[in-house]
Amino acid sequence: MRAADVMEEYPLIAVTEPALEAARRLAGHRLPGLVVVDGDGLPVAVLAASVVVGFVVPTYVQDDPSLARVYDETTADACGATLAGRTVQDLLPPPRQRGETAVVSGTATVMECAAVMVRLRSSLVVVVDEHRVRGVITASRLLGLLLPPAS
Amino acid sequence: MRAADVMEEYPLIAVTEPALEAARRLAGHRLPGLVVVDGDGLPVAVLAASVVVGFVVPTYVQDDPSLARVYDETTADACGATLAGRTVQDLLPPPRQRGETAVVSGTATVMECAAVMVRLRSSLVVVVDEHRVRGVITASRLLGLLLPPAS
């Protein structure tokens, strides 16, 4: 069983797309993250939904969480404002702090995928062949493939 | 809009349950994580599927990833073996290294939930009332609630 046989489709987003589009896609598909690709279609990072939440919470609320409660009624407009004008690139840490993206080829074995996931402490591995993202494999999918059948 | 209005059900697992059961539940429901509760039903941690993968990959493969490829055919039994005899507790870091679990009450506002998520760098917040876990709120759910409607 190889990566190409078990990978799943997963939404991609380009670094140049609007940050608000990334947030909407995460919310709309109820995804824990998006694979971010560069202009060549190669993966540069996995953008976690929780990281995007960090851009939606105003700085002064992060500094003083007691302000969060009084913020309830008017959140939506202000939250959109913090993402407006930014791109997906702006939501990522600088390249040097970003860490290596967990990438495997379609011929990688399931155990190779797991080993890469563990080494890079990633929640998914991205399958890349011929310089294009072909799919992803999540941690729960790998567990299902690696565990012995229930007896 | 309060946490109790927007939370979702999420599988729980007790610290005393077998590690293999946690792995099977993650795989079966395709979950990114499980909420781990103690004997009193209070949340002690969120167990990420990717962390469990770390226990499934044999140490010698982690040390020498080139061994992963030759491991393909016989993975299942060996992987089960690494989890057998362990409990969920054994999959968690020691309490002092575990970090605070992101917990809110059912009356927390959406922005309070987001602020707690950001502060604790968590992928979800656990809603607890009257000493029991009532549900969770994921990052993507929070984004959907915090973003302004698409115009």
Side-chain angles (χ1 to χ4, degrees):
Chain A
M1 219 163 20
R2 303 292 169 141
D5 306 320
V6 299
M7 66 190 182
E8 301 166 286
E9 275 192 63
Y10 207 76
L12 307 179
I13 195 156
V15 286
T16 50
E17 288 192 71
L20 199 54
E21 174 59 27
R24 285 203 197 289
R25 214 170 288 179
L26 288 162
H29 297 273
R30 293 288 182 87
L31 289 165
L34 286 171
V35 175
V36 180
V37 293
D38 64 17
D40 297 321
L42 287 173
V44 294
V46 176
L47 177 64
S50 55
V51 168
V52 182
V53 172
F55 284 88
V56 165
V57 177
T59 314
Y60 62 87
V61 171
Q62 292 188 39
D63 293 344
D64 182 357
S66 69
L67 292 174
R69 186 161 284 248
V70 298
Y71 204 80
D72 195 29
E73 303 306 320
T74 52
T75 43
D77 287 346
C79 292
T82 63
L83 289 174
R86 292 182 194 239
T87 66
V88 170
Q89 178 87 61
D90 299 329
L91 305 183
L92 300 176
R96 274 185 305 175
Q97 291 168 35
R98 206 174 285 166
E100 192 181 337
T101 308
V103 171
V104 297
S105 81
T107 61
T109 65
V110 170
M111 184 54 84
E112 281 180 289
C113 296
V116 169
M117 174 174 280
V118 170
R119 183 170 62 83
L120 298 175
R121 297 165 184 269
S122 178
S123 60
L124 48 78
V125 291
V126 185
V127 183
V128 174
D129 268 324
E130 293 168 1
H131 307 292
R132 287 197 53 190
V133 175
R134 304 296 172 172
V136 306
I137 308 175
T138 62
S140 58
R141 177 88 172 118
L142 281 181
L143 283 178
L145 295 165
L146 288 169
L147 294 176
S151 55
Chain B
M1 217 161 23
R2 303 292 168 142
D5 306 320
V6 299
M7 67 190 181
E8 301 165 287
E9 275 193 61
Y10 208 75
L12 307 180
I13 196 155
V15 285
T16 49
E17 288 191 70
L20 199 55
E21 174 59 26
R24 286 203 197 288
R25 214 170 287 179
L26 288 162
H29 297 275
R30 292 291 183 86
L31 289 166
L34 286 171
V35 175
V36 180
V37 294
D38 64 17
D40 297 322
L42 286 173
V44 294
V46 176
L47 177 64
S50 55
V51 168
V52 182
V53 173
F55 285 87
V56 165
V57 177
T59 314
Y60 62 88
V61 171
Q62 292 188 41
D63 292 343
D64 183 357
S66 69
L67 292 174
R69 184 162 287 247
V70 298
Y71 204 78
D72 196 29
E73 303 306 320
T74 51
T75 43
D77 287 345
C79 290
T82 63
L83 288 175
R86 293 183 193 238
T87 65
V88 170
Q89 178 87 60
D90 299 328
L91 305 183
L92 299 176
R96 275 185 306 175
Q97 291 167 34
R98 206 174 286 167
E100 193 181 335
T101 308
V103 171
V104 297
S105 80
T107 61
T109 65
V110 170
M111 183 53 84
E112 281 180 289
C113 296
V116 168
M117 174 175 282
V118 171
R119 183 170 62 83
L120 298 176
R121 298 165 184 270
S122 178
S123 59
L124 48 78
V125 292
V126 184
V127 183
V128 174
D129 268 325
E130 293 168 1
H131 308 291
R132 288 197 51 190
V133 174
R134 303 297 173 171
V136 306
I137 309 175
T138 62
S140 58
R141 176 86 171 121
L142 281 182
L143 282 179
L145 296 165
L146 288 169
L147 294 176
S151 55

